[in-house]
Coordinates of all heavy atoms in Angstrom, one line a residue:
M1 N 0.8 -1.2 0.0 CA 0.0 0.0 0.0 C 0.9 1.2 0.0 O 1.8 1.3 0.7 CB -0.9 0.0 1.2 CG -1.9 1.1 1.3 SD -3.0 0.7 2.6 CE -4.4 1.6 2.0
S2 N 0.6 2.2 -0.8 CA 1.4 3.4 -1.0 C 1.0 4.5 -0.1 O -0.2 4.7 0.2 CB 1.3 3.8 -2.4 OG 2.0 5.1 -2.6
D3 N 1.9 5.2 0.5 CA 1.6 6.4 1.3 C 1.7 7.7 0.5 O 1.7 8.8 1.1 CB 2.5 6.5 2.5 CG 2.3 5.3 3.5 OD1 1.1 4.9 3.6 OD2 3.2 4.9 4.2
T4 N 1.6 7.6 -0.8 CA 1.8 8.8 -1.5 C 0.4 9.6 -1.5 O -0.7 9.0 -1.5 CB 2.1 8.6 -3.0 OG1 1.1 7.7 -3.5 CG2 3.4 7.9 -3.1
P5 N 0.5 11.0 -1.3 CA -0.7 11.8 -1.3 C -1.4 11.7 -2.6 O -0.8 11.7 -3.7 CB -0.2 13.2 -1.0 CG 1.2 13.2 -1.3 CD 1.7 11.8 -1.3
G6 N -2.7 11.9 -2.5 CA -3.5 11.9 -3.8 C -5.0 11.6 -3.4 O -5.3 11.2 -2.3
S7 N -5.8 11.8 -4.3 CA -7.2 11.6 -4.0 C -7.5 10.1 -4.1 O -7.1 9.4 -5.0 CB -8.2 12.3 -5.0 OG -8.0 11.8 -6.3
K8 N -8.2 9.6 -3.0 CA -8.6 8.2 -3.0 C -10.1 8.1 -3.3 O -10.9 8.8 -2.7 CB -8.3 7.6 -1.6 CG -6.8 7.6 -1.3 CD -6.5 7.0 0.0 CE -5.1 7.0 0.3 NZ -4.8 6.6 1.6
Q9 N -10.5 7.4 -4.3 CA -11.9 7.2 -4.7 C -12.4 5.9 -4.3 O -11.7 4.8 -4.4 CB -12.1 7.4 -6.2 CG -12.0 8.8 -6.6 CD -13.2 9.7 -6.2 OE1 -14.3 9.1 -5.9 NE2 -13.1 11.0 -6.2
N10 N -13.6 5.8 -3.7 CA -14.3 4.5 -3.5 C -14.8 4.0 -4.7 O -15.1 4.8 -5.7 CB -15.3 4.7 -2.4 CG -14.8 5.1 -1.1 OD1 -13.8 4.6 -0.7 ND2 -15.5 5.9 -0.4
T11 N -15.0 2.7 -4.8 CA -15.6 2.1 -6.0 C -17.1 2.3 -6.0 O -17.7 2.7 -4.9 CB -15.3 0.6 -6.0 OG1 -16.0 0.0 -4.9 CG2 -13.9 0.3 -6.1
A12 N -17.7 2.3 -7.2 CA -19.1 2.5 -7.3 C -19.9 1.4 -6.4 O -20.9 1.7 -5.8 CB -19.6 2.4 -8.7
A13 N -19.4 0.2 -6.4 CA -20.0 -0.9 -5.6 C -20.0 -0.6 -4.1 O -20.9 -0.8 -3.4 CB -19.2 -2.3 -6.0
F14 N -18.8 -0.1 -3.7 CA -18.7 0.2 -2.3 C -19.6 1.4 -1.9 O -20.4 1.4 -0.9 CB -17.2 0.6 -1.9 CG -17.1 1.0 -0.5 CD1 -17.0 0.0 0.5 CD2 -17.0 2.3 0.0 CE1 -16.9 0.3 1.9 CE2 -16.8 2.6 1.3 CZ -16.7 1.6 2.3
Y15 N -19.7 2.4 -2.7 CA -20.7 3.4 -2.5 C -22.1 3.0 -2.5 O -22.9 3.3 -1.6 CB -20.5 4.5 -3.6 CG -21.4 5.7 -3.5 CD1 -21.1 6.7 -2.5 CD2 -22.5 5.8 -4.3 CE1 -22.0 7.8 -2.4 CE2 -23.4 6.9 -4.1 CZ -23.1 7.9 -3.2 OH -23.9 8.9 -3.0
G16 N -22.4 2.2 -3.4 CA -23.8 1.6 -3.6 C -24.1 0.8 -2.3 O -25.3 0.9 -1.8
Q17 N -23.2 0.0 -1.9 CA -23.4 -0.9 -0.7 C -23.6 0.0 0.5 O -24.5 -0.3 1.4 CB -22.2 -1.8 -0.5 CG -22.4 -2.7 0.7 CD -21.9 -2.2 2.0 OE1 -21.0 -1.4 2.0 NE2 -22.5 -2.7 3.1
A18 N -22.9 1.1 0.7 CA -23.0 2.0 1.8 C -24.4 2.7 1.8 O -25.1 2.7 2.8 CB -21.9 3.0 1.8
V19 N -24.7 3.1 0.6 CA -26.1 3.8 0.5 C -27.2 2.8 0.8 O -28.2 3.2 1.6 CB -26.2 4.5 -0.9 CG1 -27.7 4.9 -1.1 CG2 -25.2 5.6 -1.0
A20 N -27.1 1.6 0.2 CA -28.2 0.6 0.5 C -28.2 0.2 1.9 O -29.4 0.1 2.5 CB -28.0 -0.7 -0.5
S21 N -27.1 0.0 2.6 CA -27.1 -0.4 3.9 C -27.7 0.7 4.8 O -28.5 0.4 5.7 CB -25.6 -0.6 4.4 OG -25.5 -0.9 5.8
F22 N -27.4 2.0 4.5 CA -28.0 3.1 5.3 C -29.5 3.1 5.1 O -30.3 3.3 6.0 CB -27.3 4.4 4.9 CG -27.9 5.6 5.5 CD1 -27.6 5.9 6.8 CD2 -28.8 6.4 4.8 CE1 -28.1 7.0 7.5 CE2 -29.3 7.5 5.5 CZ -29.0 7.8 6.9
A23 N -30.0 2.9 3.8 CA -31.4 3.0 3.5 C -32.1 1.9 4.2 O -33.2 2.1 4.8 CB -31.6 2.9 2.1
V24 N -31.6 0.6 4.2 CA -32.2 -0.5 4.9 C -32.2 -0.3 6.4 O -33.3 -0.5 7.0 CB -31.4 -1.8 4.5 CG1 -31.9 -2.9 5.5 CG2 -31.7 -2.2 3.1
A25 N -31.2 0.3 7.0 CA -31.2 0.5 8.4 C -32.2 1.6 8.8 O -32.9 1.4 9.8 CB -29.8 0.9 8.9
M26 N -32.3 2.6 8.1 CA -33.2 3.7 8.4 C -34.6 3.1 8.2 O -35.6 3.4 9.0 CB -33.0 4.9 7.5 CG -31.8 5.7 7.9 SD -31.9 6.4 9.6 CE -33.2 7.6 9.3
A27 N -34.9 2.4 7.1 CA -36.3 1.9 6.9 C -36.7 0.9 8.0 O -37.8 0.9 8.5 CB -36.3 1.2 5.5
A28 N -35.7 0.0 8.4 CA -36.1 -1.0 9.4 C -36.3 -0.3 10.7 O -37.3 -0.7 11.5 CB -34.9 -1.9 9.6
T29 N -35.6 0.7 11.0 CA -35.8 1.5 12.2 C -37.1 2.2 12.2 O -37.9 2.2 13.2 CB -34.7 2.5 12.5 OG1 -33.4 1.8 12.6 CG2 -34.8 3.2 13.8
A30 N -37.4 2.9 11.1 CA -38.8 3.6 11.0 C -39.9 2.6 11.1 O -40.9 2.9 11.8 CB -38.8 4.3 9.6
I31 N -39.8 1.4 10.4 CA -40.9 0.5 10.5 C -41.0 0.0 12.0 O -42.1 -0.2 12.5 CB -40.6 -0.7 9.5 CG1 -40.8 -0.2 8.1 CG2 -41.6 -1.9 9.8 CD1 -40.3 -1.2 7.0
G32 N -39.9 -0.3 12.6 CA -39.9 -0.7 14.0 C -40.6 0.3 14.9 O -41.4 -0.1 15.8
I33 N -40.2 1.5 14.7 CA -40.8 2.6 15.6 C -42.4 2.7 15.3 O -43.1 2.9 16.2 CB -40.1 3.9 15.3 CG1 -38.7 3.8 15.9 CG2 -40.9 5.1 16.0 CD1 -37.8 5.1 15.7
Y34 N -42.7 2.6 14.0 CA -44.1 2.7 13.6 C -44.9 1.5 14.2 O -46.1 1.8 14.6 CB -44.2 2.7 12.1 CG -45.6 2.9 11.6 CD1 -46.3 4.1 11.7 CD2 -46.3 1.8 11.0 CE1 -47.6 4.2 11.2 CE2 -47.6 1.8 10.6 CZ -48.2 3.0 10.7 OH -49.5 3.1 10.2
Q35 N -44.4 0.4 14.2 CA -45.1 -0.8 14.6 C -45.1 -0.9 16.2 O -45.7 -1.8 16.7 CB -44.6 -2.1 14.0 CG -44.7 -2.1 12.5 CD -46.2 -2.3 12.1 OE1 -46.9 -2.9 12.8 NE2 -46.5 -1.7 10.9
L36 N -44.3 -0.2 16.9 CA -44.2 -0.2 18.3 C -45.5 0.0 19.0 O -46.2 0.9 18.6 CB -43.1 0.8 18.8 CG -42.7 0.7 20.2 CD1 -42.0 -0.5 20.5 CD2 -41.8 1.9 20.5
S37 N -45.8 -0.9 19.9 CA -47.1 -0.7 20.6 C -46.9 0.2 21.8 O -46.8 -0.2 22.9 CB -47.7 -2.1 21.0 OG -46.7 -2.7 21.9
A38 N -46.9 1.5 21.5 CA -46.6 2.5 22.5 C -47.4 3.8 22.0 O -48.0 3.9 20.9 CB -45.1 2.9 22.7
D39 N -47.5 4.7 22.9 CA -48.2 6.0 22.6 C -47.5 6.7 21.5 O -46.3 6.5 21.3 CB -48.3 6.9 23.8 CG -49.2 6.3 24.9 OD1 -50.1 5.5 24.6 OD2 -49.1 6.7 26.1
A40 N -48.3 7.6 20.8 CA -47.7 8.4 19.7 C -46.5 9.2 20.2 O -45.5 9.3 19.4 CB -48.8 9.2 19.0
W41 N -46.6 9.8 21.4 CA -45.5 10.6 21.9 C -44.2 9.8 22.0 O -43.1 10.4 21.8 CB -45.9 11.4 23.1 CG -46.0 10.6 24.3 CD1 -47.0 10.0 24.9 CD2 -44.8 10.3 25.2 NE1 -46.7 9.3 26.0 CE2 -45.4 9.6 26.3 CE3 -43.6 10.7 25.3 CZ2 -44.6 9.1 27.3 CZ3 -42.7 10.3 26.3 CH2 -43.3 9.5 27.3
V42 N -44.3 8.6 22.4 CA -43.2 7.8 22.6 C -42.5 7.4 21.3 O -41.3 7.5 21.1 CB -43.5 6.4 23.4 CG1 -42.3 5.5 23.4 CG2 -44.0 6.7 24.8
R43 N -43.4 7.1 20.3 CA -42.8 6.8 19.0 C -42.2 8.1 18.3 O -41.2 8.0 17.7 CB -43.9 6.3 18.1 CG -44.4 4.8 18.5 CD -45.3 4.2 17.4 NE -46.3 5.0 16.9 CZ -47.6 4.9 17.4 NH1 -47.9 4.1 18.3 NH2 -48.5 5.7 16.9
G44 N -42.9 9.2 18.6 CA -42.3 10.4 18.1 C -41.0 10.8 18.7 O -40.0 11.2 18.0
F45 N -40.8 10.5 20.0 CA -39.6 10.8 20.7 C -38.5 9.9 20.2 O -37.4 10.4 19.9 CB -39.7 10.6 22.3 CG -38.4 10.7 23.0 CD1 -38.0 11.9 23.3 CD2 -37.7 9.5 23.3 CE1 -36.8 12.1 24.0 CE2 -36.5 9.7 24.0 CZ -36.1 10.9 24.4
L46 N -38.8 8.6 19.9 CA -37.8 7.7 19.4 C -37.4 8.1 18.0 O -36.2 8.0 17.6 CB -38.4 6.3 19.4 CG -38.5 5.7 20.8 CD1 -39.1 4.3 20.7 CD2 -37.1 5.5 21.4
A47 N -38.4 8.5 17.2 CA -38.1 9.0 15.8 C -37.2 10.2 15.8 O -36.1 10.3 15.1 CB -39.3 9.3 15.1
I48 N -37.4 11.2 16.7 CA -36.6 12.4 16.7 C -35.2 11.9 17.2 O -34.1 12.5 16.8 CB -37.2 13.5 17.7 CG1 -38.5 14.0 17.1 CG2 -36.2 14.5 18.0 CD1 -38.3 14.7 15.7
A49 N -35.1 11.0 18.2 CA -33.8 10.6 18.7 C -33.0 9.9 17.6 O -31.8 10.1 17.5 CB -34.0 9.6 19.9
V50 N -33.6 9.1 16.8 CA -32.9 8.5 15.7 C -32.4 9.5 14.7 O -31.3 9.4 14.2 CB -33.9 7.4 15.0 CG1 -33.2 7.0 13.6 CG2 -34.1 6.2 15.9
L51 N -33.3 10.5 14.3 CA -32.8 11.5 13.4 C -31.7 12.3 14.0 O -30.7 12.6 13.2 CB -34.0 12.4 13.1 CG -35.1 11.8 12.2 CD1 -36.3 12.8 12.0 CD2 -34.6 11.3 10.9
Y52 N -31.7 12.6 15.3 CA -30.6 13.3 15.9 C -29.3 12.5 15.9 O -28.3 13.1 15.6 CB -31.0 13.7 17.3 CG -29.9 14.5 18.1 CD1 -29.4 15.7 17.6 CD2 -29.4 14.0 19.2 CE1 -28.5 16.5 18.3 CE2 -28.4 14.7 19.9 CZ -28.0 15.9 19.4 OH -27.0 16.6 20.0
L53 N -29.5 11.2 16.1 CA -28.3 10.3 16.1 C -27.7 10.3 14.7 O -26.4 10.4 14.5 CB -28.7 9.0 16.6 CG -27.6 7.9 16.6 CD1 -26.4 8.3 17.6 CD2 -28.1 6.6 17.0
V54 N -28.5 10.2 13.7 CA -28.0 10.1 12.3 C -27.3 11.4 11.9 O -26.2 11.4 11.4 CB -29.2 9.8 11.3 CG1 -28.8 10.0 9.9 CG2 -29.6 8.4 11.6
T55 N -28.0 12.6 12.2 CA -27.3 13.8 11.8 C -26.1 14.1 12.6 O -25.1 14.6 12.0 CB -28.2 15.0 12.0 OG1 -28.7 15.1 13.4 CG2 -29.5 14.9 11.1
S56 N -26.0 13.7 13.9 CA -24.8 14.0 14.6 C -23.7 13.0 14.1 O -22.5 13.3 14.1 CB -25.0 13.8 16.1 OG -25.5 12.5 16.5
S57 N -24.1 11.8 13.7 CA -23.0 10.8 13.2 C -22.4 11.3 11.9 O -21.2 11.2 11.7 CB -23.7 9.4 12.9 OG -24.1 8.9 14.1
F58 N -23.3 11.9 11.0 CA -22.7 12.5 9.7 C -21.8 13.7 10.1 O -20.7 13.8 9.5 CB -23.9 13.0 8.9 CG -24.5 12.0 8.0 CD1 -25.8 11.6 8.2 CD2 -23.8 11.4 7.0 CE1 -26.4 10.6 7.4 CE2 -24.3 10.4 6.1 CZ -25.6 10.0 6.4
T59 N -22.1 14.5 11.0 CA -21.3 15.7 11.4 C -19.9 15.1 11.9 O -19.0 15.7 11.6 CB -22.1 16.5 12.5 OG1 -23.3 17.0 11.9 CG2 -21.2 17.7 12.8
L60 N -20.0 14.2 12.8 CA -18.8 13.6 13.4 C -17.9 13.0 12.3 O -16.7 13.2 12.3 CB -19.1 12.5 14.5 CG -17.9 11.9 15.1 CD1 -17.0 12.9 15.9 CD2 -18.4 10.8 16.0
A61 N -18.5 12.3 11.4 CA -17.7 11.7 10.3 C -17.1 12.8 9.5 O -15.9 12.7 9.1 CB -18.6 10.8 9.5
K62 N -17.8 13.9 9.2 CA -17.2 15.0 8.4 C -16.1 15.7 9.2 O -15.0 16.0 8.6 CB -18.3 16.0 8.1 CG -17.8 17.1 7.2 CD -18.8 18.2 7.0 CE -18.4 19.3 6.3 NZ -17.1 19.9 6.5
V63 N -16.3 15.9 10.5 CA -15.3 16.6 11.3 C -13.9 15.7 11.3 O -12.8 16.2 11.2 CB -15.8 16.9 12.7 CG1 -14.6 17.2 13.6 CG2 -16.8 17.9 12.7
I64 N -14.1 14.4 11.5 CA -12.9 13.5 11.5 C -12.3 13.5 10.2 O -11.0 13.6 10.1 CB -13.3 12.1 12.0 CG1 -13.7 12.1 13.4 CG2 -12.2 11.1 11.7 CD1 -14.3 10.8 14.0
R65 N -13.0 13.4 9.1 CA -12.4 13.5 7.7 C -11.7 14.8 7.5 O -10.6 14.8 7.0 CB -13.5 13.3 6.7 CG -12.9 13.2 5.2 CD -14.0 13.6 4.2 NE -14.5 15.0 4.4 CZ -15.6 15.5 4.0 NH1 -16.5 14.6 3.4 NH2 -16.0 16.7 4.2
D66 N -12.3 15.9 7.8 CA -11.7 17.2 7.6 C -10.4 17.3 8.4 O -9.4 17.9 7.9 CB -12.7 18.3 8.0 CG -13.8 18.4 7.0 OD1 -13.8 17.8 5.9 OD2 -14.8 19.2 7.3
R67 N -10.4 16.8 9.6 CA -9.2 16.9 10.5 C -8.0 16.0 9.8 O -6.9 16.5 9.8 CB -9.5 16.4 11.8 CG -8.5 16.6 12.9 CD -9.0 16.2 14.2 NE -8.2 16.9 15.3 CZ -8.4 16.8 16.6 NH1 -9.4 16.0 16.9 NH2 -7.7 17.4 17.4
Q68 N -8.4 14.8 9.4 CA -7.4 14.0 8.8 C -6.9 14.6 7.5 O -5.7 14.5 7.2 CB -8.0 12.6 8.5 CG -8.1 11.8 9.8 CD -8.8 10.5 9.6 OE1 -9.5 10.3 8.5 NE2 -8.7 9.6 10.5
E69 N -7.8 15.2 6.6 CA -7.3 15.8 5.5 C -6.5 17.0 5.7 O -5.5 17.3 5.0 CB -8.5 16.2 4.6 CG -9.2 15.1 3.9 CD -10.5 15.5 3.1 OE1 -10.9 16.7 3.2 OE2 -11.0 14.6 2.4
G70 N -6.8 17.8 6.8 CA -6.0 18.9 7.1 C -4.6 18.5 7.5 O -3.6 19.1 7.2
A71 N -4.5 17.4 8.3 CA -3.2 16.9 8.8 C -2.4 16.4 7.6 O -1.2 16.5 7.6 CB -3.4 15.8 9.9
A72 N -3.1 15.7 6.7 CA -2.4 15.2 5.5 C -1.9 16.3 4.6 O -0.9 16.1 3.9 CB -3.3 14.2 4.7
G73 N -2.6 17.4 4.6 CA -2.1 18.5 3.7 C -0.9 19.2 4.2 O -0.2 19.9 3.5
M74 N -0.6 19.0 5.5 CA 0.7 19.7 6.1 C 1.8 18.8 5.7 O 1.9 17.6 5.9 CB 0.6 19.8 7.6 CG -0.5 20.7 7.9 SD -1.0 20.8 9.7 CE 0.3 20.3 10.6
A75 N 2.9 19.4 5.0 CA 4.0 18.7 4.5 C 4.8 18.0 5.6 O 5.3 18.6 6.5 CB 4.9 19.7 3.7
G76 N 4.8 16.7 5.5 CA 5.7 15.9 6.4 C 5.2 15.8 7.8 O 5.8 15.2 8.6
A77 N 4.1 16.4 8.1 CA 3.5 16.4 9.5 C 2.7 15.1 9.7 O 2.0 14.7 8.9 CB 2.7 17.6 9.7
A78 N 2.9 14.6 10.9 CA 2.1 13.5 11.3 C 0.7 13.9 11.6 O 0.4 15.1 12.1 CB 2.8 12.8 12.6
P79 N -0.3 13.1 11.4 CA -1.7 13.4 11.7 C -1.8 13.7 13.2 O -1.2 13.1 14.0 CB -2.5 12.1 11.4 CG -1.6 11.3 10.5 CD -0.2 11.7 10.8
S80 N -2.6 14.7 13.5 CA -2.8 15.1 14.9 C -3.7 14.1 15.7 O -3.7 14.2 16.9 CB -3.4 16.6 15.0 OG -4.7 16.6 14.3
Y81 N -4.4 13.3 15.0 CA -5.3 12.4 15.6 C -5.3 11.1 14.8 O -5.5 11.1 13.6 CB -6.7 12.9 15.7 CG -7.7 11.8 16.1 CD1 -7.8 11.5 17.5 CD2 -8.6 11.2 15.3 CE1 -8.7 10.5 17.9 CE2 -9.4 10.3 15.7 CZ -9.5 9.9 17.0 OH -10.4 9.0 17.4
T82 N -5.0 10.0 15.5 CA -5.3 8.7 14.9 C -6.1 7.8 15.8 O -5.8 7.8 17.0 CB -3.9 7.9 14.6 OG1 -3.2 7.8 15.9 CG2 -3.1 8.7 13.7
P83 N -7.2 7.2 15.3 CA -8.1 6.6 16.3 C -7.6 5.4 17.0 O -8.1 5.0 18.0 CB -9.3 6.2 15.3 CG -8.7 6.2 14.0 CD -7.5 7.1 14.0
F84 N -6.5 4.8 16.5 CA -6.0 3.6 17.2 C -4.6 3.8 17.7 O -3.8 2.8 17.9 CB -6.0 2.4 16.2 CG -7.3 2.1 15.7 CD1 -7.6 2.4 14.3 CD2 -8.3 1.6 16.4 CE1 -8.9 2.2 13.8 CE2 -9.5 1.4 15.9 CZ -9.9 1.6 14.6
E85 N -4.2 5.0 18.1 CA -2.9 5.3 18.6 C -2.8 4.8 20.1 O -3.7 4.7 20.8 CB -2.5 6.7 18.5 CG -3.4 7.6 19.5 CD -3.1 9.1 19.2 OE1 -2.2 9.4 18.5 OE2 -3.8 9.9 19.9
K86 N -1.6 4.3 20.4 CA -1.3 3.7 21.7 C -0.7 4.8 22.6 O 0.1 5.6 22.2 CB -0.4 2.6 21.6 CG -1.0 1.4 20.9 CD -0.1 0.2 20.9 CE -0.8 -0.9 20.2 NZ 0.0 -2.1 20.2
H87 N -1.2 4.8 23.8 CA -0.7 5.9 24.8 C 0.3 5.4 25.7 O 0.3 4.2 26.1 CB -1.8 6.5 25.6 CG -2.9 7.2 24.7 ND1 -2.7 8.5 24.2 CD2 -4.1 6.8 24.2 CE1 -3.7 8.8 23.4 NE2 -4.6 7.9 23.4

């Protein structure tokens, strides 16, 4: 595997699998919440909680990606954050 800088592109199959997986997970969660035998306010609360979790996950992924791209853009500098670094 090369450490040379450059743009890395995912394959169309990987992208499709990620989108399909996300869609199936969201649909299954929505159906589960809809079929839940609970009051409407409980189902609404769970739906809002799921939407908040999804949006915050997208934001976190973007922040981590931007941080890694920023560290990679600095010539010869080590990344400021690696998720599996040992202390």
